[in-house]
């Protein structure tokens, strides 16, 4: 039977993203009366976009210490939170609701259905099961805390108000504002006395000076080596997937180096050099290309090259090297062959900058971690206020680490509120 709305709720959760839904479901499981307020007309709008619609739920690092090395300085704060509800408990939580995962590169776990909707629906089912009252289209405009009574008053933009003993803020960060993450939470939390570290975008696609990139938008190289240069100084090399967009490049490896690129751009030019055949050294690639050209000596170079790299990219490579794409391979000049092999191992991309907040995957910045009790996710400034998910100032790479933060902080807050 549906619980009647109380005059004062035990818990009000603001924000129906993954962190808010997890927190509300857990508080409901403990028998609390819970009201979940979400300004969109549906819950989990950003969650639906995760992992390209497939949702990289977490990363298969069940050892807490190993997992926490990925959160840089924040790792030391998160120990008690992840000990209470880490990767293993998250996998178990979903398994208990019939969700199993498959593992992809670098430990990324995706639902076996390859659909973010499976995860969204599982959370919504858990909310219903725990009789959480859900109000969508509910835009919160302020949180007031009465020091004497300890009660919270939550004001909505339509003038309505609700009261609660505890309040969990799960309003997200500033990335992809069209999904609802517009940062209002930060202004209320600042009014309540919290320090907000200014937003700096953390996982962001890169823009290139190379305008030809527009012609190959959507092309993906599943495995290449990406070497980052500041001026002519090598900074970092990583292997992984790269995706060409209409203004530059994206993909997990690019997103993970974006904050470093941002720093380096302050000091000068930044170049990415792609090795499209990282498995082969120069000599091995040279001989396999020689063989390919020989076997297909009457075919046009554009068709032969398209056998080893995506066709659109093959055409760009020939254009950049000023090789006529219609040339039969037997007529290819020796110097062009040498250049071609060199280019496939050293393909330069000239970085212009980072895309803005609207295209970021996550934003770093948020509530200062020294103001949170990580055993409960409670505020050290306002009693019975809890903060979860992207509102916290935690930098992390791509790979399921952001959603794991939502599951861990959400569950622990829901266990304590
Ligand atoms: C394209 C994309 C792909 C991603 N893929 C992955 C991935 O595969 N794996 C991964 O780990 N992470 C991924 N992330 C990051 C991940 O989605 C976020 O870290 C996560 O959604 C944060 O959850 P949250 O609940 O803290 O905040 P959000 O998901 O941002 O939810 C906050 C909610 O609060 C609501 N809200 C805000 N203000 C108000 C208000 N005033 N009143 C009422 N409600 C309000 C918003 O409408 C929103 O629904 C991806 C992000 C993007 C943009």
């Amino acid at each position: 039977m549906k619980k009647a709305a109380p005059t004062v709720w035990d818990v009000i959760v603001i924000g129906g993203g993954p962190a808010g839904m997890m927190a509300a479901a857990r508080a409901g499981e403990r028998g609390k009366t819970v009201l979940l307020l979400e300004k969109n007309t549906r819950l989990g709008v950003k969650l639906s976009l995760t992992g390209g619609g497939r949702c990289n739920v977490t990363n298969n690092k069940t050892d807490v210490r190993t997992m926490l090395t990925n959160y840089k300085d924040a790792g030391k704060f998160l120990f008690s939170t992840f000990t209470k509800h880490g990767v293993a408990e998250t996998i178990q939580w979903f398994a208990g609701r019939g969700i199993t995962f498959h593992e992809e590169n670098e430990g990324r776990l995706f639902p076996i259905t390859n659909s973010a909707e499976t995860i969204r629906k599982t959370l919504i089912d858990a909310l219903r099961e725990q009789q959480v009252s859900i109000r969508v289209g509910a835009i919160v405009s302020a949180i007031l805390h009465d020091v004497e009574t300890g009660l919270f008053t939550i004001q909505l933009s339509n003038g309505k108000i609700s009261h609660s003993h505890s309040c969990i803020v799960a309003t997200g960060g500033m990335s992809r504002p069209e999904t609802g993450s517009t940062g209002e939470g930060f202004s209320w939390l600042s009014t309540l006395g919290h320090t907000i570290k200014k937003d700096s975008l953390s996982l962001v696609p890169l823009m290139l000076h190379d305008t030809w990139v527009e012609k190959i938008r959507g092309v993906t190289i599943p495995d290449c080596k990406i070497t980052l240069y500041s001026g002519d100084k090598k900074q970092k090399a990583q292997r992984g997937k790269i995706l060409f967009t209409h203004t530059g490049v994206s993909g997990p490896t690019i997103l993970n180096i974006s904050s470093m690129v941002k720093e380096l751009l302050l000091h000068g030019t930044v170049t990415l050099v792609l090795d499209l055949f990282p498995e082969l050294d120069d000599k091995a690639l040279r001989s396999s290309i020689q063989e390919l050209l020989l076997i297909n000596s009457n075919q046009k170079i554009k068709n032969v090259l398209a056998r080893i790299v995506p066709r659109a990219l093959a055409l760009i490579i020939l254009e950049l090297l000023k090789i006529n794409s219609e040339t039969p391979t037997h007529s290819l000049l020796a110097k062009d062959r040498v250049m071609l092999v060199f280019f496939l191992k050293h393909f330069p991309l000239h970085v212009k900058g980072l895309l803005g907040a609207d295209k970021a995957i996550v934003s770093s910045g948020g509530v200062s971690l020294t103001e949170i009790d990580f055993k409960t996710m409670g505020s050290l400034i306002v009693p019975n206020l809890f903060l979860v998910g992207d509102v916290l100032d935690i930098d992390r790479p791509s790979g399921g680490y952001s959603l794991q933060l939502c599951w861990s902080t959400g569950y622990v807050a829901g266990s304590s509120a």
Side-chain angles (χ1 to χ4, degrees):
M1 209 173 63
K2 207 168 181 269
K3 284 181 196 163
T7 322
V8 179
W9 296 87
D10 289 330
V11 184
I12 291 183
V13 180
I14 310 175
M21 286 195 272
M22 177 56 88
R26 173 61 185 145
E29 190 184 14
R30 290 171 50 234
K32 301 281 174 180
T33 55
V34 186
L35 173 64
L36 174 61
L37 299 170
E38 165 55 51
K39 74 172 168 187
N40 289 325
T41 50
R42 60 195 278 270
L43 299 173
V45 171
K46 188 179 278 181
L47 182 61
S48 299
L49 303 179
T50 54
R54 296 194 305 125
C55 189
N56 178 190
V57 174
T58 183
N59 198 289
N60 197 9
K61 294 189 176 70
T62 47
D63 175 65
V64 172
R65 285 186 199 280
T66 312
M67 181 67 179
L68 292 182
T69 56
N70 293 282
Y71 296 99
K72 301 182 194 160
D73 292 347
K76 60 180 182 290
F77 290 94
L78 289 164
F79 187 75
S80 50
T81 321
F82 272 62
T83 306
K84 287 190 167 141
H85 194 84
V87 175
E89 291 78 10
T90 299
I91 295 172
Q92 225 176 341
W93 191 92
F94 281 104
R97 286 158 180 83
I99 307 297
T100 50
F101 299 104
H102 68 98
E103 186 171 333
E104 296 191 7
N105 59 330
E106 294 164 348
R108 292 172 158 85
L109 293 185
F110 291 84
I112 209 86
T113 56
N114 270 323
S115 166
E117 283 313 301
T118 310
I119 300 301
R120 203 177 78 87
K121 184 175 174 306
T122 303
L123 288 160
I124 294 174
D125 287 348
L127 292 171
R128 295 213 172 107
E129 192 185 310
Q130 305 307 338
Q131 301 191 37
V132 170
S133 294
I134 303 169
R135 271 187 224 152
V136 291
I139 306 169
V140 172
S141 55
I143 307 176
L144 308 171
H145 178 247
D146 186 324
V147 186
E148 308 234 309
T149 61
L151 289 185
F152 289 92
T153 300
I154 312 299
Q155 286 182 348
L156 297 189
S157 62
N158 63 6
K160 289 193 175 153
I161 55 167
S162 299
H163 303 286
S164 65
H165 295 288
S166 296
C167 176
I168 301 179
V169 178
T171 43
M174 304 275 273
S175 71
R176 301 294 292 261
E178 77 278 13
T179 64
S181 321
T182 43
E184 285 108 290
F186 296 137
S187 57
W188 316 322
L189 293 168
S190 160
T191 308
L192 288 167
H194 274 288
T195 314
I196 313 296
K197 199 184 139 205
K198 247 187 114 34
D199 180 61
S200 68
L201 302 170
S202 144
L203 297 179
V204 194
L206 303 179
M207 287 190 293
L208 298 179
H209 286 292
D210 311 283
T211 49
W212 48 258
V213 78
E214 209 270 334
K215 294 187 201 163
I216 58 167
R217 67 180 184 278
V219 168
T220 300
I221 315 278
D223 180 23
C224 64
K225 186 168 133 202
I226 303 167
T227 308
L228 172 63
Y229 286 87
S230 169
D232 57 5
K233 226 168 139 206
K234 182 172 160 180
Q235 301 290 330
K236 194 181 175 84
Q238 264 194 319
R239 248 174 101 160
K241 181 166 144 181
I242 190 167
L243 163 72
F244 290 93
T245 68
H246 68 295
T247 53
V249 279
S250 187
T253 318
I254 294 295
L255 297 173
N256 284 342
I257 58 171
S258 59
S259 48
M260 188 171 181
V261 168
K262 187 178 166 198
E263 281 297 310
L264 295 173
L265 280 168
L266 299 175
H267 308 292
T269 57
V270 175
T271 315
L272 301 176
V273 177
L274 306 187
D275 177 352
L276 301 175
F277 293 90
E279 290 294 342
L280 303 176
D281 63 18
D282 289 26
K283 197 171 157 217
L285 181 64
R286 197 163 46 241
S287 62
S288 78
I289 298 262
Q290 296 267 39
E291 199 182 318
L292 187 73
L293 296 179
L294 204 66
I295 297 169
N296 301 288
S297 64
N298 288 325
Q299 291 196 25
K300 291 175 181 168
I301 182 65
K302 66 175 182 190
N303 295 331
V304 176
L305 195 55
R307 291 175 183 212
I308 55 170
V309 295
R311 178 169 288 277
L313 182 62
L315 293 175
I316 287 293
I317 291 174
L318 294 171
E319 189 182 314
L320 293 172
L321 292 176
K322 299 192 170 51
I323 297 173
N324 183 344
S325 59
E326 303 293 325
T327 312
T329 52
H330 61 73
S331 306
L332 196 66
L333 299 175
K335 78 166 177 42
D336 288 343
R337 206 165 49 220
V338 171
M339 260 182 359
L340 183 60
V341 173
F342 182 81
F343 212 74
L344 292 172
K345 296 281 294 172
H346 309 87
F347 186 167
L349 304 173
H350 306 93
V351 180
K352 187 175 176 185
L354 275 67
L355 281 182
D358 54 333
K359 295 289 183 285
I361 298 298
V362 297
S363 50
S364 62
V367 175
S368 173
L369 303 189
T370 54
E371 297 171 357
I372 308 289
D373 173 1
F374 280 86
K375 290 190 192 74
T376 62
M377 297 315 300
S379 159
L380 293 172
I381 293 177
V382 182
N384 297 319
L385 176 70
F386 298 83
L387 309 178
V388 295
D390 274 8
V391 290
L392 299 164
D393 174 27
I394 300 177
D395 202 0
R396 68 273 178 180
S398 140
Y401 300 101
S402 299
L403 284 175
Q404 183 57 55
L405 270 181
C406 295
W407 315 133
S408 294
T409 58
Y411 189 91
V412 169
S415 302
S416 318

